Amino acid sequence: MSLVSTDYKNHKCIRNCTENDVMTCEYDFTLEYYFTLTKACYNCPFNETDCQRPHCIAADGTPRGLIVANRMLPGPAIHVCKNDIVKVNILNRLDSAEGVTIHWHGLHQKGYQHMDGVPMVTQCPIPVETSFQYSFPAANLGTYFWHSHTGVQRADGLFGAFVVREPNDFHLYDYDLPEHTVVVFDWMIELAINRFANHHHAGGDNKPASMLINGKGKFQEFTTPGTGEKVYTPYEVFNITSGRRYRFRVISNGILNCPIQFSIDNHTLGVFESDGNPFKKVDVQSFNIFAGERFDFPSDSKTPRV
């Protein structure tokens, strides 16, 4: 397994799902400590294009350590069709010699309990410099996510989206694309264990400094040399075409157990699925999403803006 594998944005299993079309979908995740705005970022944020370079994690601009898979925040997204066989090869290269397990949040794992990734319950943690393969069928339709189930590693970046698609149902949307997966989470400006120890033993603050969407946000201010212009790291951008409806999947990797209120300016959200369970569409102006929860809605761009 290579030190840093692909981002899997063009994985063969990202496809239009059809009945009885089952594939084996394999991924390599290399886990390691990393840092924001490394040399891989070149001149980010002063050159915003540099912030999109492979292995560049700009986050909100705050310099801090991370725990990542394949040098990505969030980690690689898994997009498969129902009943695909998912194989994820985990290579633990955490310099701290920490063990690690990966949990597939929301998936029932019926008959595959030993693949659920709960440390000291369904498996022993994966020791440093060793590997382990998770292998199970994607038996549940819907929006899920994967994350470390060890210590506070999830709070430092070790998580990602996991989507199980069905043959397209176009009565609520026209497109269901991977790029419209939205991972929201609160973010601290230091490693989580520092914040936890400070709060637990010394009465320190346990509130997040900022919020990120798909690992991007604006918090730390930078001053451009020579001009004095103030710049920030970029936000995530979602592209849609007017007159078409796109399915958005929102996942919360909330850390500090505070709900996140999600809304889109001047848009009504027709929520029709929660935690992988569909229901009759409900139109709302916003919704509260707690850690581990997921909500799906279409962008109804055929409806004029309010």
Side-chain angles (χ1 to χ4, degrees), residues 10-284:
N10 295 310
H11 196 283
K12 66 178 183 179
C13 289
I14 299 176
R15 66 199 193 276
N16 289 325
C17 301
T18 57
E19 295 290 343
N20 303 317
D21 172 26
V22 176
M23 298 179 64
T24 297
C25 307
E26 190 162 355
Y27 309 81
D28 292 339
F29 287 5
T30 299
L31 314 185
E32 60 182 331
Y33 274 92
Y34 201 51
F35 209 82
T36 56
L37 294 172
T38 63
K39 295 177 181 178
C41 294
Y42 288 71
N43 201 33
C44 172
F46 305 109
N47 181 349
E48 190 169 310
T49 302
D50 283 342
C51 300
Q52 314 304 325
R53 288 180 178 271
H55 306 165
C56 175
I57 298 178
D60 62 4
T62 303
R64 56 153 294 176
L66 309 162
I67 300 178
V68 295
N70 298 2
R71 298 183 177 177
M72 297 173 61
L73 179 72
I78 295 174
H79 293 268
V80 297
C81 296
K82 186 179 180 181
N83 295 324
D84 281 351
I85 304 302
V86 178
K87 296 180 181 290
V88 183
N89 303 305
I90 302 295
L91 175 59
N92 180 357
R93 284 193 167 164
L94 296 178
D95 296 328
S96 61
E98 292 178 68
V100 64
T101 62
I102 301 298
H103 174 61
W104 316 95
H105 191 99
L107 294 173
H108 297 166
Q109 298 289 17
K110 185 176 181 180
Y112 292 82
Q113 298 90 331
H114 54 292
M115 291 292 164
D116 200 42
V118 182
M120 311 312 297
V121 178
T122 60
Q123 72 172 114
C124 293
I126 306 163
V128 69
E129 293 302 333
T130 67
S131 61
F132 179 84
Q133 184 185 79
Y134 291 94
S135 180
F136 54 89
N140 308 100
L141 290 170
T143 303
Y144 307 96
F145 79 117
W146 63 263
H147 62 82
S148 169
H149 212 309
T150 305
V152 291
Q153 295 170 354
R154 178 173 72 87
D156 289 321
L158 196 47
F159 60 89
F162 192 120
V163 174
V164 183
R165 286 187 168 79
E166 60 187 315
N168 287 330
D169 182 358
F170 294 126
H171 75 287
L172 288 175
Y173 54 88
D174 304 314
Y175 298 94
D176 182 9
L177 305 177
E179 54 263 38
H180 295 137
T181 305
V182 185
V183 183
V184 298
F185 52 101
D186 42 6
W187 192 238
M188 294 175 283
I189 58 175
E190 58 186 330
L191 284 167
I193 194 64
N194 295 343
R195 183 63 64 89
F196 171 79
N198 185 10
H199 175 68
H200 188 67
H201 295 289
D205 182 21
N206 72 334
K207 302 300 186 292
S210 66
M211 303 288 298
L212 303 185
I213 293 180
N214 289 353
K216 298 177 181 178
K218 296 185 179 183
F219 181 76
Q220 183 72 35
E221 185 179 83
F222 296 82
T223 302
T224 305
T227 67
E229 179 187 3
K230 306 300 182 183
V231 297
Y232 296 86
T233 47
Y235 286 130
E236 177 72 309
V237 175
F238 299 95
N239 295 309
I240 63 173
T241 299
S242 178
R244 299 176 183 175
R245 302 170 300 170
Y246 300 85
R247 180 173 182 165
F248 277 79
R249 301 172 181 265
V250 181
I251 302 164
S252 172
N253 184 62
I255 304 304
L256 295 170
N257 294 324
C258 296
I260 297 170
Q261 186 175 40
F262 185 95
S263 64
I264 299 177
D265 291 349
N266 301 318
H267 277 72
T268 298
L269 309 179
V271 179
F272 65 88
E273 187 168 304
S274 175
D275 298 344
N277 299 297
F279 51 81
K280 184 177 180 180
K281 183 170 73 74
V282 178
D283 290 332
V284 298

